[in-house]
Amino acid sequence: QVVEIEKEAFPTLWPRTPFKRDISNRIINHLVVTKSLSQSELTNKAVRPSSAISHTFITRLVMCVLGRQNQGDSSFPTTTDIPIGYIGTWFLTDEAHITAIAVSEHWQGQGLGELLLIGAIEESMRRGSRMVTLEARISNYKALSLYEKYGFIRTGTRKGYYSDNKEDAAIMETDPISSLGFQSRFSDLKDSFFSHHDGMKISAYP
């Protein structure tokens, strides 16, 4: 299901992300946001977003580490939960590098990308990373705005970075995420986000 989300979001990406292999790689982390399906939704082939998404189901963010999940935890996704977005992060020395973020087309505009970004930053803090970095298309103003909101600063440009159209990529990085300034801003942004999305929560698994 996550592979299908990747194909939808990045149709020209090749080779595809080896998610099954990455599961056993401890420097690679994938967070997946899932939707809990009701009994009636389970009978439908297509699941569409509701107009009051945060009040009709709980969106959960979980680490996709299938070999190490806590099987006894009742909040872990079940067969009635479907992935609707993911974010990938590589942990390299003291840097956490976000490699991809994607939300299924039917569920965009609901705050799920921001939820995933929050989860990736929290995981970076948990692992003791000094900073978080990423690249983004220079034309993706919505994504750039979100990253800037969370303290990412544009530090350079990778010319012709994207193979499909040779578009440039903005190189972005945060200040040290352990600094008081970053931590205070991040805490305020999280509080604001969850106060406006009271049906969402984060469940993390070591």
Side-chain angles (χ1 to χ4, degrees):
Q1 290 170 313
V2 173
V3 169
E4 292 306 310
I5 294 172
E6 181 186 64
K7 288 179 180 178
E8 179 186 79
F10 312 112
T12 62
L13 178 66
W14 190 262
R16 292 291 173 191
T17 302
F19 291 107
K20 289 183 179 179
R21 186 183 68 191
D22 288 352
I23 287 171
S24 60
N25 191 331
R26 291 186 177 276
I27 72 167
I28 300 175
N29 175 258
H30 290 99
L31 301 177
V32 181
V33 62
T34 68
K35 181 195 184 305
S36 299
L37 298 183
S38 66
Q39 243 355 87
S40 61
E41 286 174 320
L42 285 172
T43 63
N44 297 329
K45 291 184 178 179
V47 180
R48 298 291 189 268
S50 70
S51 59
I53 183 171
S54 63
H55 299 288
T56 57
F57 73 93
I58 295 177
T59 300
R60 287 175 291 189
L61 190 66
V62 298
M63 293 184 188
C64 185
V65 284
L66 302 185
R68 298 191 294 277
Q69 77 266 33
N70 181 354
Q71 297 284 359
D73 191 321
S74 61
S75 69
F76 196 82
T78 68
T79 54
T80 63
D81 294 345
I82 60 166
I84 54 178
Y86 75 92
I87 188 168
T89 309
W90 284 55
F91 293 93
L92 308 169
T93 59
D94 64 346
E95 174 186 328
H97 182 70
I98 294 174
T99 58
I101 179 169
V103 174
S104 182
E105 183 179 358
H106 294 312
W107 296 98
Q108 293 177 7
Q110 309 292 326
L112 302 183
E114 186 167 353
L115 176 68
L116 287 163
L117 183 62
I118 289 171
I121 293 173
E122 284 200 334
E123 176 62 5
S124 301
M125 290 176 173
R126 189 183 75 83
R127 292 195 183 212
S129 298
R130 184 178 64 86
M131 63 190 301
V132 185
T133 65
L134 55 81
E135 289 95 13
R137 290 180 184 268
I138 59 172
S139 64
N140 193 344
Y141 302 115
K142 186 175 181 179
L144 292 173
S145 178
L146 174 64
Y147 302 144
E148 289 169 355
K149 175 182 174 181
Y150 277 82
F152 285 82
I153 301 167
R154 184 168 174 174
T155 59
T157 302
R158 297 197 193 282
K159 295 291 186 180
Y161 182 75
Y162 295 97
S163 59
D164 58 341
N165 62 357
K166 302 303 179 183
E167 183 175 358
D168 295 346
I171 303 170
M172 307 189 78
E173 61 184 47
T174 65
D175 288 332
I177 59 177
S178 61
S179 67
L180 291 178
F182 187 93
Q183 296 257 348
S184 176
R185 177 177 181 173
F186 183 59
S187 179
D188 289 344
L189 287 168
K190 279 198 308 176
D191 289 346
S192 176
F193 177 82
F194 287 112
S195 70
H196 288 90
H197 300 83
D198 58 2
M200 296 185 184
K201 67 177 181 179
I202 292 178
S203 300
Y205 297 83

